[in-house]
């Protein structure tokens, strides 16, 4: 009887450790941290920038979407956009519609980041977003 109880206790401890590990690794937003979510450009009702995990998504209401990998380091965000089909339209969408250049190596400073507002800057340009 004692041996049976010890096995169940070990299983229970193992299950508890696994549950704690699983729960702690499933944080909302993952690597995105405070950037996590869908941000709407304040001067537009149709342009959005989403952050989740390590993925940035530029999109509009017409269904155009361009993905990129991003890193948030200190007060900077680094985004490397990817055009799976290598379409010029994807590059133009990010560079012309959103104003983020160059397509494969975007570097912007975070001027403001709180629960409702995101302001990004680069040189003399400023982009303002609100959480959507």
């Amino acid at each position: 009887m004692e041996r049976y109880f010890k096995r169940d206790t070990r299983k229970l401890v193992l299950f508890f450790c696994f549950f704690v590990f699983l729960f702690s690794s499933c944080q909302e937003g993952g690597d995105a941290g405070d950037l996590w979510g869908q941000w709407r450009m304040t001067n537009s009702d149709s342009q959005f920038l989403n952050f989740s995990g390590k993925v940035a998504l530029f999109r509009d209401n017409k269904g155009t979407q361009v993905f990129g990998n991003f890193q948030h380091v200190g007060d900077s965000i680094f985004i490397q956009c990817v055009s799976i089909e290598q379409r010029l339209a994807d590059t133009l969408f990010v560079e012309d519609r959103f104003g983020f250049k160059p397509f494969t190596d975007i570097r912007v400073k975070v001027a403001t980041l709180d629960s409702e507002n995101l302001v990004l800057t680069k040189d003399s340009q400023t982009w303002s977003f609100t959480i959507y």
Side-chain angles (χ1 to χ4, degrees), residues 79-125:
I79 305 173
Q80 294 82 36
C81 290
V82 179
S83 178
I84 296 170
E85 298 172 1
Q86 298 180 349
R87 298 181 328 158
L88 178 60
D90 291 342
T91 302
L92 295 175
F93 179 70
V94 173
E95 291 187 351
D96 292 346
R97 292 271 328 265
F98 282 85
F100 288 92
K101 297 177 184 178
F103 181 74
T104 57
D105 190 23
I106 299 166
R107 297 174 182 206
V108 292
K109 295 277 185 192
V110 178
T112 303
L113 175 58
D114 58 39
S115 61
E116 295 180 13
N117 299 295
L118 171 63
V119 178
L120 305 174
T121 62
K122 181 177 182 179
D123 301 325
S124 63
Q125 292 181 291

